[in-house]
PDB file of all heavy atoms in Angstrom:
ATOM      1  N   ALA A1292      93.193  35.238  13.773  1.00 98.00           N
ATOM      2  CA  ALA A1292      94.381  36.055  13.501  1.00 98.00           C
ATOM      3  C   ALA A1292      93.999  37.348  12.723  1.00 98.00           C
ATOM      4  O   ALA A1292      94.457  38.436  13.025  1.00 98.00           O
ATOM      5  CB  ALA A1292      95.400  35.240  12.684  1.00 98.00           C
ATOM      6  N   LEU A1293      93.139  37.180  11.771  1.00 98.00           N
ATOM      7  CA  LEU A1293      92.635  38.323  10.995  1.00 98.00           C
ATOM      8  C   LEU A1293      91.855  39.309  11.862  1.00 98.00           C
ATOM      9  O   LEU A1293      92.028  40.529  11.779  1.00 98.00           O
ATOM     10  CB  LEU A1293      91.813  37.878   9.816  1.00 98.00           C
ATOM     11  CG  LEU A1293      92.586  37.273   8.604  1.00 98.00           C
ATOM     12  CD1 LEU A1293      91.704  36.433   7.781  1.00 98.00           C
ATOM     13  CD2 LEU A1293      93.200  38.360   7.803  1.00 98.00           C
ATOM     14  N   LYS A1294      91.003  38.793  12.704  1.00 98.00           N
ATOM     15  CA  LYS A1294      90.178  39.632  13.560  1.00 98.00           C
ATOM     16  C   LYS A1294      91.002  40.420  14.590  1.00 98.00           C
ATOM     17  O   LYS A1294      90.799  41.564  14.852  1.00 98.00           O
ATOM     18  CB  LYS A1294      89.061  38.786  14.238  1.00 98.00           C
ATOM     19  CG  LYS A1294      88.069  39.717  14.964  1.00 98.00           C
ATOM     20  CD  LYS A1294      86.851  38.933  15.457  1.00 98.00           C
ATOM     21  CE  LYS A1294      85.860  39.860  16.156  1.00 98.00           C
ATOM     22  NZ  LYS A1294      84.598  39.092  16.538  1.00 98.00           N
ATOM     23  N   ILE A1295      91.945  39.685  15.169  1.00 98.00           N
ATOM     24  CA  ILE A1295      92.823  40.301  16.196  1.00 98.00           C
ATOM     25  C   ILE A1295      93.644  41.437  15.545  1.00 98.00           C
ATOM     26  O   ILE A1295      93.758  42.546  16.074  1.00 98.00           O
ATOM     27  CB  ILE A1295      93.752  39.310  16.840  1.00 98.00           C
ATOM     28  CG1 ILE A1295      92.949  38.385  17.802  1.00 98.00           C
ATOM     29  CG2 ILE A1295      94.887  39.908  17.528  1.00 98.00           C
ATOM     30  CD1 ILE A1295      93.652  37.185  18.332  1.00 98.00           C
ATOM     31  N   GLY A1296      94.201  41.233  14.332  1.00 98.00           N
ATOM     32  CA  GLY A1296      94.866  42.270  13.629  1.00 98.00           C
ATOM     33  C   GLY A1296      93.973  43.462  13.339  1.00 98.00           C
ATOM     34  O   GLY A1296      94.417  44.627  13.513  1.00 98.00           O
ATOM     35  N   ALA A1297      92.752  43.181  12.917  1.00 98.00           N
ATOM     36  CA  ALA A1297      91.798  44.265  12.643  1.00 98.00           C
ATOM     37  C   ALA A1297      91.470  45.074  13.885  1.00 98.00           C
ATOM     38  O   ALA A1297      91.365  46.280  13.863  1.00 98.00           O
ATOM     39  CB  ALA A1297      90.522  43.669  12.041  1.00 98.00           C
ATOM     40  N   ILE A1298      91.307  44.401  15.024  1.00 98.00           N
ATOM     41  CA  ILE A1298      91.041  45.079  16.282  1.00 98.00           C
ATOM     42  C   ILE A1298      92.199  46.062  16.600  1.00 98.00           C
ATOM     43  O   ILE A1298      91.986  47.216  16.931  1.00 98.00           O
ATOM     44  CB  ILE A1298      90.850  44.123  17.436  1.00 98.00           C
ATOM     45  CG1 ILE A1298      89.539  43.305  17.240  1.00 98.00           C
ATOM     46  CG2 ILE A1298      90.802  44.815  18.773  1.00 98.00           C
ATOM     47  CD1 ILE A1298      89.399  42.104  18.184  1.00 98.00           C
ATOM     48  N   ILE A1299      93.411  45.560  16.521  1.00 98.00           N
ATOM     49  CA  ILE A1299      94.570  46.411  16.799  1.00 98.00           C
ATOM     50  C   ILE A1299      94.710  47.529  15.868  1.00 98.00           C
ATOM     51  O   ILE A1299      95.098  48.671  16.222  1.00 98.00           O
ATOM     52  CB  ILE A1299      95.882  45.539  16.802  1.00 98.00           C
ATOM     53  CG1 ILE A1299      95.784  44.489  17.953  1.00 98.00           C
ATOM     54  CG2 ILE A1299      97.104  46.395  16.962  1.00 98.00           C
ATOM     55  CD1 ILE A1299      96.844  43.405  17.869  1.00 98.00           C
ATOM     56  N   GLY A1300      94.350  47.294  14.590  1.00 97.00           N
ATOM     57  CA  GLY A1300      94.454  48.358  13.557  1.00 97.00           C
ATOM     58  C   GLY A1300      93.359  49.408  13.687  1.00 97.00           C
ATOM     59  O   GLY A1300      93.411  50.443  12.998  1.00 97.00           O
ATOM     60  N   GLY A1301      92.367  49.174  14.495  1.00 97.00           N
ATOM     61  CA  GLY A1301      91.275  50.158  14.697  1.00 97.00           C
ATOM     62  C   GLY A1301      90.113  49.953  13.776  1.00 97.00           C
ATOM     63  O   GLY A1301      89.305  50.903  13.519  1.00 97.00           O
ATOM     64  N   ALA A1302      89.881  48.749  13.239  1.00 98.00           N
ATOM     65  CA  ALA A1302      88.773  48.508  12.345  1.00 98.00           C
ATOM     66  C   ALA A1302      87.415  48.552  13.090  1.00 98.00           C
ATOM     67  O   ALA A1302      87.389  48.276  14.279  1.00 98.00           O
ATOM     68  CB  ALA A1302      88.908  47.138  11.706  1.00 98.00           C
ATOM     69  N   ASP A1303      86.397  48.949  12.365  1.00 97.00           N
ATOM     70  CA  ASP A1303      85.029  48.896  12.935  1.00 97.00           C
ATOM     71  C   ASP A1303      84.561  47.432  13.082  1.00 97.00           C
ATOM     72  O   ASP A1303      85.138  46.502  12.498  1.00 97.00           O
ATOM     73  CB  ASP A1303      84.061  49.700  12.087  1.00 97.00           C
ATOM     74  CG  ASP A1303      83.941  49.120  10.666  1.00 97.00           C
ATOM     75  OD1 ASP A1303      83.212  48.181  10.451  1.00 97.00           O
ATOM     76  OD2 ASP A1303      84.658  49.642   9.764  1.00 97.00           O
ATOM     77  N   ALA A1304      83.488  47.248  13.837  1.00 97.00           N
ATOM     78  CA  ALA A1304      83.027  45.926  14.175  1.00 97.00           C
ATOM     79  C   ALA A1304      82.588  45.122  12.924  1.00 97.00           C
ATOM     80  O   ALA A1304      82.859  43.955  12.836  1.00 97.00           O
ATOM     81  CB  ALA A1304      81.828  45.990  15.122  1.00 97.00           C
ATOM     82  N   ASN A1305      82.037  45.826  11.939  1.00 98.00           N
ATOM     83  CA  ASN A1305      81.580  45.123  10.726  1.00 98.00           C
ATOM     84  C   ASN A1305      82.801  44.597   9.949  1.00 98.00           C
ATOM     85  O   ASN A1305      82.775  43.463   9.453  1.00 98.00           O
ATOM     86  CB  ASN A1305      80.757  46.066   9.834  1.00 98.00           C
ATOM     87  CG  ASN A1305      80.199  45.354   8.626  1.00 98.00           C
ATOM     88  OD1 ASN A1305      79.422  44.430   8.757  1.00 98.00           O
ATOM     89  ND2 ASN A1305      80.585  45.834   7.465  1.00 98.00           N
ATOM     90  N   SER A1306      83.820  45.424   9.815  1.00 98.00           N
ATOM     91  CA  SER A1306      85.043  44.996   9.138  1.00 98.00           C
ATOM     92  C   SER A1306      85.700  43.824   9.850  1.00 98.00           C
ATOM     93  O   SER A1306      86.272  42.908   9.194  1.00 98.00           O
ATOM     94  CB  SER A1306      85.998  46.177   9.028  1.00 98.00           C
ATOM     95  OG  SER A1306      85.486  47.191   8.211  1.00 98.00           O
ATOM     96  N   GLN A1307      85.701  43.874  11.148  1.00 98.00           N
ATOM     97  CA  GLN A1307      86.297  42.750  11.952  1.00 98.00           C
ATOM     98  C   GLN A1307      85.575  41.478  11.597  1.00 98.00           C
ATOM     99  O   GLN A1307      86.239  40.403  11.418  1.00 98.00           O
ATOM    100  CB  GLN A1307      86.158  43.073  13.423  1.00 98.00           C
ATOM    101  CG  GLN A1307      86.990  44.196  13.952  1.00 98.00           C
ATOM    102  CD  GLN A1307      86.692  44.531  15.367  1.00 98.00           C
ATOM    103  OE1 GLN A1307      86.227  43.615  16.162  1.00 98.00           O
ATOM    104  NE2 GLN A1307      86.927  45.745  15.828  1.00 98.00           N
ATOM    105  N   GLU A1308      84.270  41.502  11.574  1.00 98.00           N
ATOM    106  CA  GLU A1308      83.502  40.269  11.324  1.00 98.00           C
ATOM    107  C   GLU A1308      83.629  39.811   9.875  1.00 98.00           C
ATOM    108  O   GLU A1308      83.665  38.573   9.625  1.00 98.00           O
ATOM    109  CB  GLU A1308      82.007  40.514  11.609  1.00 98.00           C
ATOM    110  CG  GLU A1308      81.717  40.628  13.126  1.00 98.00           C
ATOM    111  CD  GLU A1308      82.273  39.498  13.931  1.00 98.00           C
ATOM    112  OE1 GLU A1308      82.080  38.324  13.561  1.00 98.00           O
ATOM    113  OE2 GLU A1308      82.919  39.780  14.965  1.00 98.00           O
ATOM    114  N   GLU A1309      83.743  40.729   8.957  1.00 98.00           N
ATOM    115  CA  GLU A1309      83.942  40.335   7.554  1.00 98.00           C
ATOM    116  C   GLU A1309      85.301  39.694   7.344  1.00 98.00           C
ATOM    117  O   GLU A1309      85.421  38.639   6.620  1.00 98.00           O
ATOM    118  CB  GLU A1309      83.835  41.582   6.639  1.00 98.00           C
ATOM    119  CG  GLU A1309      82.419  42.055   6.483  1.00 98.00           C
ATOM    120  CD  GLU A1309      82.299  43.245   5.514  1.00 98.00           C
ATOM    121  OE1 GLU A1309      83.316  43.945   5.355  1.00 98.00           O
ATOM    122  OE2 GLU A1309      81.219  43.474   5.014  1.00 98.00           O
ATOM    123  N   LEU A1310      86.335  40.155   8.005  1.00 98.00           N
ATOM    124  CA  LEU A1310      87.646  39.544   7.930  1.00 98.00           C
ATOM    125  C   LEU A1310      87.633  38.122   8.645  1.00 98.00           C
ATOM    126  O   LEU A1310      88.255  37.231   8.186  1.00 98.00           O
ATOM    127  CB  LEU A1310      88.706  40.419   8.545  1.00 98.00           C
ATOM    128  CG  LEU A1310      89.192  41.588   7.653  1.00 98.00           C
ATOM    129  CD1 LEU A1310      89.900  42.668   8.453  1.00 98.00           C
ATOM    130  CD2 LEU A1310      90.075  41.032   6.550  1.00 98.00           C
ATOM    131  N   PHE A1311      86.912  38.085   9.710  1.00 98.00           N
ATOM    132  CA  PHE A1311      86.744  36.761  10.415  1.00 98.00           C
ATOM    133  C   PHE A1311      86.162  35.758   9.474  1.00 98.00           C
ATOM    134  O   PHE A1311      86.636  34.600   9.330  1.00 98.00           O
ATOM    135  CB  PHE A1311      85.933  36.898  11.717  1.00 98.00           C
ATOM    136  CG  PHE A1311      85.907  35.674  12.550  1.00 98.00           C
ATOM    137  CD1 PHE A1311      86.892  35.444  13.493  1.00 98.00           C
ATOM    138  CD2 PHE A1311      84.897  34.728  12.386  1.00 98.00           C
ATOM    139  CE1 PHE A1311      86.877  34.326  14.298  1.00 98.00           C
ATOM    140  CE2 PHE A1311      84.880  33.621  13.178  1.00 98.00           C
ATOM    141  CZ  PHE A1311      85.895  33.398  14.144  1.00 98.00           C
ATOM    142  N   GLU A1312      85.065  36.122   8.806  1.00 98.00           N
ATOM    143  CA  GLU A1312      84.375  35.208   7.891  1.00 98.00           C
ATOM    144  C   GLU A1312      85.282  34.862   6.679  1.00 98.00           C
ATOM    145  O   GLU A1312      85.288  33.703   6.210  1.00 98.00           O
ATOM    146  CB  GLU A1312      83.055  35.822   7.387  1.00 98.00           C
ATOM    147  CG  GLU A1312      82.317  34.961   6.446  1.00 98.00           C
ATOM    148  CD  GLU A1312      81.939  33.557   6.991  1.00 98.00           C
ATOM    149  OE1 GLU A1312      81.806  33.432   8.285  1.00 98.00           O
ATOM    150  OE2 GLU A1312      81.840  32.613   6.238  1.00 98.00           O
ATOM    151  N   PHE A1313      86.055  35.805   6.181  1.00 97.00           N
ATOM    152  CA  PHE A1313      87.019  35.565   5.119  1.00 97.00           C
ATOM    153  C   PHE A1313      88.017  34.486   5.630  1.00 97.00           C
ATOM    154  O   PHE A1313      88.362  33.540   4.873  1.00 97.00           O
ATOM    155  CB  PHE A1313      87.749  36.851   4.745  1.00 97.00           C
ATOM    156  CG  PHE A1313      88.991  36.573   3.882  1.00 97.00           C
ATOM    157  CD1 PHE A1313      88.835  36.158   2.563  1.00 97.00           C
ATOM    158  CD2 PHE A1313      90.222  36.730   4.421  1.00 97.00           C
ATOM    159  CE1 PHE A1313      89.941  35.952   1.775  1.00 97.00           C
ATOM    160  CE2 PHE A1313      91.410  36.526   3.597  1.00 97.00           C
ATOM    161  CZ  PHE A1313      91.222  36.084   2.274  1.00 97.00           C
ATOM    162  N   GLY A1314      88.470  34.594   6.871  1.00 97.00           N
ATOM    163  CA  GLY A1314      89.399  33.606   7.417  1.00 97.00           C
ATOM    164  C   GLY A1314      88.835  32.243   7.520  1.00 97.00           C
ATOM    165  O   GLY A1314      89.507  31.252   7.319  1.00 97.00           O
ATOM    166  N   ILE A1315      87.552  32.144   7.836  1.00 98.00           N
ATOM    167  CA  ILE A1315      86.846  30.844   7.891  1.00 98.00           C
ATOM    168  C   ILE A1315      86.866  30.197   6.523  1.00 98.00           C
ATOM    169  O   ILE A1315      87.242  29.011   6.402  1.00 98.00           O
ATOM    170  CB  ILE A1315      85.371  31.022   8.363  1.00 98.00           C
ATOM    171  CG1 ILE A1315      85.335  31.460   9.843  1.00 98.00           C
ATOM    172  CG2 ILE A1315      84.595  29.725   8.192  1.00 98.00           C
ATOM    173  CD1 ILE A1315      85.884  30.458  10.825  1.00 98.00           C
ATOM    174  N   GLN A1316      86.516  30.956   5.461  1.00 97.00           N
ATOM    175  CA  GLN A1316      86.502  30.405   4.113  1.00 97.00           C
ATOM    176  C   GLN A1316      87.916  30.026   3.621  1.00 97.00           C
ATOM    177  O   GLN A1316      88.127  29.022   2.968  1.00 97.00           O
ATOM    178  CB  GLN A1316      85.840  31.374   3.154  1.00 97.00           C
ATOM    179  CG  GLN A1316      84.372  31.770   3.517  1.00 97.00           C
ATOM    180  CD  GLN A1316      83.482  30.550   3.603  1.00 97.00           C
ATOM    181  OE1 GLN A1316      83.581  29.587   2.818  1.00 97.00           O
ATOM    182  NE2 GLN A1316      82.615  30.567   4.617  1.00 97.00           N
ATOM    183  N   LEU A1317      88.854  30.859   3.982  1.00 96.00           N
ATOM    184  CA  LEU A1317      90.260  30.565   3.632  1.00 96.00           C
ATOM    185  C   LEU A1317      90.737  29.308   4.284  1.00 96.00           C
ATOM    186  O   LEU A1317      91.396  28.439   3.644  1.00 96.00           O
ATOM    187  CB  LEU A1317      91.144  31.755   4.109  1.00 96.00           C
ATOM    188  CG  LEU A1317      92.596  31.650   3.772  1.00 96.00           C
ATOM    189  CD1 LEU A1317      92.930  31.699   2.290  1.00 96.00           C
ATOM    190  CD2 LEU A1317      93.358  32.763   4.449  1.00 96.00           C
ATOM    191  N   GLY A1318      90.361  29.105   5.573  1.00 96.00           N
ATOM    192  CA  GLY A1318      90.783  27.896   6.288  1.00 96.00           C
ATOM    193  C   GLY A1318      90.152  26.606   5.711  1.00 96.00           C
ATOM    194  O   GLY A1318      90.796  25.618   5.665  1.00 96.00           O
ATOM    195  N   LEU A1319      88.881  26.711   5.328  1.00 96.00           N
ATOM    196  CA  LEU A1319      88.199  25.555   4.729  1.00 96.00           C
ATOM    197  C   LEU A1319      88.916  25.187   3.410  1.00 96.00           C
ATOM    198  O   LEU A1319      89.193  23.970   3.153  1.00 96.00           O
ATOM    199  CB  LEU A1319      86.747  25.860   4.417  1.00 96.00           C
ATOM    200  CG  LEU A1319      85.833  26.104   5.638  1.00 96.00           C
ATOM    201  CD1 LEU A1319      84.433  26.496   5.192  1.00 96.00           C
ATOM    202  CD2 LEU A1319      85.774  24.839   6.495  1.00 96.00           C
ATOM    203  N   SER A1320      89.232  26.167   2.574  1.00 96.00           N
ATOM    204  CA  SER A1320      89.962  25.860   1.340  1.00 96.00           C
ATOM    205  C   SER A1320      91.342  25.287   1.604  1.00 96.00           C
ATOM    206  O   SER A1320      91.760  24.330   0.936  1.00 96.00           O
ATOM    207  CB  SER A1320      90.109  27.191   0.529  1.00 96.00           C
ATOM    208  OG  SER A1320      88.853  27.766   0.283  1.00 96.00           O
ATOM    209  N   PHE A1321      92.025  25.839   2.593  1.00 92.00           N
ATOM    210  CA  PHE A1321      93.371  25.376   2.954  1.00 92.00           C
ATOM    211  C   PHE A1321      93.337  23.929   3.392  1.00 92.00           C
ATOM    212  O   PHE A1321      94.193  23.121   2.937  1.00 92.00           O
ATOM    213  CB  PHE A1321      93.892  26.289   4.101  1.00 92.00           C
ATOM    214  CG  PHE A1321      95.233  25.856   4.635  1.00 92.00           C
ATOM    215  CD1 PHE A1321      96.437  26.366   4.088  1.00 92.00           C
ATOM    216  CD2 PHE A1321      95.331  24.978   5.661  1.00 92.00           C
ATOM    217  CE1 PHE A1321      97.663  25.998   4.585  1.00 92.00           C
ATOM    218  CE2 PHE A1321      96.559  24.598   6.167  1.00 92.00           C
ATOM    219  CZ  PHE A1321      97.723  25.099   5.640  1.00 92.00           C
ATOM    220  N   GLN A1322      92.355  23.577   4.211  1.00 92.00           N
ATOM    221  CA  GLN A1322      92.340  22.185   4.715  1.00 92.00           C
ATOM    222  C   GLN A1322      91.921  21.161   3.613  1.00 92.00           C
ATOM    223  O   GLN A1322      92.436  20.057   3.594  1.00 92.00           O
ATOM    224  CB  GLN A1322      91.333  22.091   5.887  1.00 92.00           C
ATOM    225  CG  GLN A1322      91.377  20.728   6.610  1.00 92.00           C
ATOM    226  CD  GLN A1322      92.733  20.400   7.146  1.00 92.00           C
ATOM    227  OE1 GLN A1322      93.345  21.205   7.917  1.00 92.00           O
ATOM    228  NE2 GLN A1322      93.327  19.274   6.783  1.00 92.00           N
ATOM    229  N   LEU A1323      91.007  21.600   2.730  1.00 94.00           N
ATOM    230  CA  LEU A1323      90.680  20.682   1.619  1.00 94.00           C
ATOM    231  C   LEU A1323      91.887  20.402   0.764  1.00 94.00           C
ATOM    232  O   LEU A1323      92.096  19.243   0.374  1.00 94.00           O
ATOM    233  CB  LEU A1323      89.561  21.368   0.784  1.00 94.00           C
ATOM    234  CG  LEU A1323      88.160  21.306   1.334  1.00 94.00           C
ATOM    235  CD1 LEU A1323      87.248  22.266   0.559  1.00 94.00           C
ATOM    236  CD2 LEU A1323      87.594  19.943   1.369  1.00 94.00           C
ATOM    237  N   TRP A1324      92.701  21.431   0.525  1.00 93.00           N
ATOM    238  CA  TRP A1324      93.860  21.250  -0.295  1.00 93.00           C
ATOM    239  C   TRP A1324      94.904  20.399   0.476  1.00 93.00           C
ATOM    240  O   TRP A1324      95.611  19.592  -0.090  1.00 93.00           O
ATOM    241  CB  TRP A1324      94.458  22.604  -0.679  1.00 93.00           C
ATOM    242  CG  TRP A1324      95.619  22.560  -1.604  1.00 93.00           C
ATOM    243  CD1 TRP A1324      96.864  23.080  -1.361  1.00 93.00           C
ATOM    244  CD2 TRP A1324      95.676  22.012  -2.931  1.00 93.00           C
ATOM    245  NE1 TRP A1324      97.683  22.853  -2.441  1.00 93.00           N
ATOM    246  CE2 TRP A1324      96.990  22.210  -3.433  1.00 93.00           C
ATOM    247  CE3 TRP A1324      94.720  21.327  -3.715  1.00 93.00           C
ATOM    248  CZ2 TRP A1324      97.372  21.779  -4.693  1.00 93.00           C
ATOM    249  CZ3 TRP A1324      95.169  20.890  -4.973  1.00 93.00           C
ATOM    250  CH2 TRP A1324      96.426  21.136  -5.415  1.00 93.00           C
ATOM    251  N   ASP A1325      94.981  20.605   1.768  1.00 90.00           N
ATOM    252  CA  ASP A1325      95.908  19.871   2.611  1.00 90.00           C
ATOM    253  C   ASP A1325      95.567  18.361   2.614  1.00 90.00           C
ATOM    254  O   ASP A1325      96.424  17.478   2.564  1.00 90.00           O
ATOM    255  CB  ASP A1325      95.901  20.396   4.081  1.00 90.00           C
ATOM    256  CG  ASP A1325      97.052  19.833   4.889  1.00 90.00           C
ATOM    257  OD1 ASP A1325      98.196  20.124   4.539  1.00 90.00           O
ATOM    258  OD2 ASP A1325      96.795  19.168   5.905  1.00 90.00           O
ATOM    259  N   ASP A1326      94.215  18.044   2.662  1.00 92.00           N
ATOM    260  CA  ASP A1326      93.762  16.674   2.537  1.00 92.00           C
ATOM    261  C   ASP A1326      94.219  16.061   1.181  1.00 92.00           C
ATOM    262  O   ASP A1326      94.665  14.890   1.193  1.00 92.00           O
ATOM    263  CB  ASP A1326      92.207  16.606   2.591  1.00 92.00           C
ATOM    264  CG  ASP A1326      91.707  16.849   3.964  1.00 92.00           C
ATOM    265  OD1 ASP A1326      92.484  17.046   4.946  1.00 92.00           O
ATOM    266  OD2 ASP A1326      90.454  16.862   4.106  1.00 92.00           O
ATOM    267  N   TYR A1327      94.114  16.810   0.134  1.00 94.00           N
ATOM    268  CA  TYR A1327      94.542  16.328  -1.154  1.00 94.00           C
ATOM    269  C   TYR A1327      96.050  16.040  -1.206  1.00 94.00           C
ATOM    270  O   TYR A1327      96.455  15.015  -1.678  1.00 94.00           O
ATOM    271  CB  TYR A1327      94.118  17.389  -2.213  1.00 94.00           C
ATOM    272  CG  TYR A1327      94.593  16.981  -3.616  1.00 94.00           C
ATOM    273  CD1 TYR A1327      93.839  16.177  -4.458  1.00 94.00           C
ATOM    274  CD2 TYR A1327      95.804  17.487  -4.111  1.00 94.00           C
ATOM    275  CE1 TYR A1327      94.262  15.871  -5.725  1.00 94.00           C
ATOM    276  CE2 TYR A1327      96.260  17.143  -5.401  1.00 94.00           C
ATOM    277  CZ  TYR A1327      95.486  16.357  -6.184  1.00 94.00           C
ATOM    278  OH  TYR A1327      95.911  16.046  -7.426  1.00 94.00           O
ATOM    279  N   LEU A1328      96.807  17.046  -0.666  1.00 93.00           N
ATOM    280  CA  LEU A1328      98.243  16.875  -0.743  1.00 93.00           C
ATOM    281  C   LEU A1328      98.733  15.760   0.141  1.00 93.00           C
ATOM    282  O   LEU A1328      99.781  15.109  -0.174  1.00 93.00           O
ATOM    283  CB  LEU A1328      98.933  18.172  -0.271  1.00 93.00           C
ATOM    284  CG  LEU A1328      98.816  19.382  -1.239  1.00 93.00           C
ATOM    285  CD1 LEU A1328      99.456  20.656  -0.613  1.00 93.00           C
ATOM    286  CD2 LEU A1328      99.466  19.076  -2.584  1.00 93.00           C
ATOM    287  N   ASP A1329      98.020  15.462   1.211  1.00 92.00           N
ATOM    288  CA  ASP A1329      98.436  14.317   2.075  1.00 92.00           C
ATOM    289  C   ASP A1329      98.476  13.014   1.270  1.00 92.00           C
ATOM    290  O   ASP A1329      99.301  12.169   1.565  1.00 92.00           O
ATOM    291  CB  ASP A1329      97.408  14.210   3.238  1.00 92.00           C
ATOM    292  CG  ASP A1329      97.928  13.115   4.250  1.00 92.00           C
ATOM    293  OD1 ASP A1329      98.674  13.460   5.136  1.00 92.00           O
ATOM    294  OD2 ASP A1329      97.460  11.963   4.090  1.00 92.00           O
ATOM    295  N   VAL A1330      97.618  12.871   0.311  1.00 93.00           N
ATOM    296  CA  VAL A1330      97.580  11.655  -0.528  1.00 93.00           C
ATOM    297  C   VAL A1330      98.387  11.794  -1.778  1.00 93.00           C
ATOM    298  O   VAL A1330      99.140  10.910  -2.144  1.00 93.00           O
ATOM    299  CB  VAL A1330      96.059  11.296  -0.879  1.00 93.00           C
ATOM    300  CG1 VAL A1330      96.019  10.070  -1.774  1.00 93.00           C
ATOM    301  CG2 VAL A1330      95.263  11.091   0.358  1.00 93.00           C
ATOM    302  N   PHE A1331      98.198  12.903  -2.465  1.00 92.00           N
ATOM    303  CA  PHE A1331      98.769  13.024  -3.862  1.00 92.00           C
ATOM    304  C   PHE A1331     100.004  13.961  -3.914  1.00 92.00           C
ATOM    305  O   PHE A1331     100.585  14.094  -4.991  1.00 92.00           O
ATOM    306  CB  PHE A1331      97.711  13.553  -4.773  1.00 92.00           C
ATOM    307  CG  PHE A1331      96.563  12.590  -4.934  1.00 92.00           C
ATOM    308  CD1 PHE A1331      95.298  12.933  -4.444  1.00 92.00           C
ATOM    309  CD2 PHE A1331      96.710  11.388  -5.595  1.00 92.00           C
ATOM    310  CE1 PHE A1331      94.240  12.054  -4.500  1.00 92.00           C
ATOM    311  CE2 PHE A1331      95.656  10.496  -5.692  1.00 92.00           C
ATOM    312  CZ  PHE A1331      94.377  10.851  -5.202  1.00 92.00           C
ATOM    313  N   GLY A1332     100.389  14.572  -2.806  1.00 88.00           N
ATOM    314  CA  GLY A1332     101.538  15.489  -2.821  1.00 88.00           C
ATOM    315  C   GLY A1332     102.851  14.728  -2.715  1.00 88.00           C
ATOM    316  O   GLY A1332     102.945  13.579  -2.305  1.00 88.00           O
TER     317      GLY A1332
END
């Protein structure tokens, strides 16, 4: 989602990849927290 938005916005290739990697880390954090909430939420 982040990379597609960057492409449409006219970002250079390096910025596109950096946003993609940010999304990967964000997703890992999101899922770890979701695992926790499934039990303790």
